[in-house]
Amino acid sequence: MEQVTRRRVICGNWKMYKTIDQALHFIDELSPIVANANCNVYLAVPFTAIKLMADKAKELHISIGAQNMNDATEGAFTGEVAALMVKDAGASFVLLGHSERRRVFKEDNAFINRKVKRALQSDLEPILCIGETFEEREEGRTQEVLKEQLTACLNGVDRELAKKLIVAYEPVWAIGSGKAATSEIAEEIQSFCRETLASLFDAEVADRTPLLYGGSVTSENSKDFLNQPNIDGLLIGSASLHPESFAKIIQLCQNSASSNDSLAKGE
Ligand code: 13P
């Protein structure tokens, strides 16, 4: 089979942090470092900062995205934001199914599935987040849970559109805990996810889908993850809030000697 190009993606998730001023200041500090980045730099920012950040990030080749969206095109849904609206503001991608959305806002796989399809139809790249809880891992159910999340969240997704998908494995127990998964665990899981994607779609879709790891990623541990063959990038929470640590991870991504470096930076 023809070798498939797989992008490397370093994505920050700012969660509910940063005013517009703080966001613009961040990007001013980051810009000299990312000017020559040979990996894809993504930032999922608060809705309020998307427009100005996207305008500013364009020349820096940083992609700005949303952290959520509703599945409906429009309607009487007070407080919600539609795919078209985040796209209109300049977002090129959207995080979907983050464990904080699942746990705090009770989002289930069926709802996330509708959002994934809406995002793809709206020309937004979905970063689908999946991950098991500590209890599920202790019970030996990790693969079962992840397969269920992938299968349900991607149900009915068109194969051609699926080529725009990114999948992030974020074990719930590793998020914000300071206890990252080992790179071996993350690699084993991402290899399993790639197999699952192949069974849901086909080998080509599975081979080209960037698979990210997230959960207590730091500038110290990021290299271990990036050196794994099935880990194509990182989804970073707190370490993405500071330009120095985020920049360091981007630089490590550029320099990492992963076996998939030959696949770096495809379109
Ligand atoms: P931390 O990097 O702060 O653990 O957060 C991970 C995360 O939730 C990214 O989406």
Side-chain angles (χ1 to χ4, degrees), residues 162-250:
K163 290 180 181 170
K164 286 196 152 207
L165 191 69
I166 296 176
V167 174
Y169 167 55
E170 296 205 301
V172 180
W173 45 271
I175 294 177
S177 66
K179 293 183 189 136
T182 63
S183 53
E184 290 78 20
I185 289 181
E187 167 61 21
E188 183 192 323
I189 294 296
Q190 288 302 41
S191 164
F192 171 75
C193 288
R194 213 176 287 289
E195 278 169 33
T196 307
L197 288 173
S199 70
L200 294 174
F201 298 101
D202 57 33
E204 190 197 338
V205 171
D207 279 349
R208 70 184 293 156
T209 302
L211 301 182
L212 317 186
Y213 167 77
S216 295
V217 170
T218 63
S219 49
E220 283 78 42
N221 65 18
S222 52
K223 198 168 169 204
D224 291 343
F225 294 110
L226 292 167
N227 280 335
Q228 301 297 325
N230 280 293
I231 300 178
D232 308 304
L234 300 164
L235 181 52
I236 306 153
S238 40
S240 74
L241 291 171
H242 310 284
E244 314 78 50
S245 48
F246 192 54
K248 202 163 173 201
I249 296 170
I250 294 166

Side-chain angles (χ1 to χ4, degrees), residues 27 30 64 78 90-91 93 95 104 109-110 112 131-132 166 231 257 266:
I27 212 151
L30 190 71
I64 299 299
T78 302
F93 74 94
L95 298 183
V104 185
N109 287 333
I112 297 161
E132 82 286 4
I166 296 176
I231 300 178

Side-chain angles (χ1 to χ4, degrees), residues 2 6 10 41 46 73 92 108 110 113 128 135 140-141 146 154 172 175 183 186 202 209 237 249 256:
E2 195 186 323
R6 195 151 72 227
I10 297 296
V41 180
T73 48
S92 61
D108 61 14
N113 174 237
L128 172 62
E135 291 73 28
R141 297 178 51 227
L146 298 178
L154 297 175
V172 180
I175 294 177
S183 53
D202 57 33
T209 302
I249 296 170
S256 72

Side-chain angles (χ1 to χ4, degrees), residues 106-140:
K106 309 292 175 232
E107 294 191 6
D108 61 14
N109 287 333
F111 187 36
I112 297 161
N113 174 237
R114 294 197 299 277
K115 294 191 198 203
V116 168
K117 287 194 268 200
R118 178 68 64 206
L120 288 168
Q121 281 164 9
S122 310
D123 198 25
L124 277 171
E125 207 174 33
I127 300 186
L128 172 62
C129 304
I130 57 169
E132 82 286 4
T133 62
F134 179 73
E135 291 73 28
E136 288 162 344
R137 173 159 283 273
E138 288 288 289
E139 291 162 10

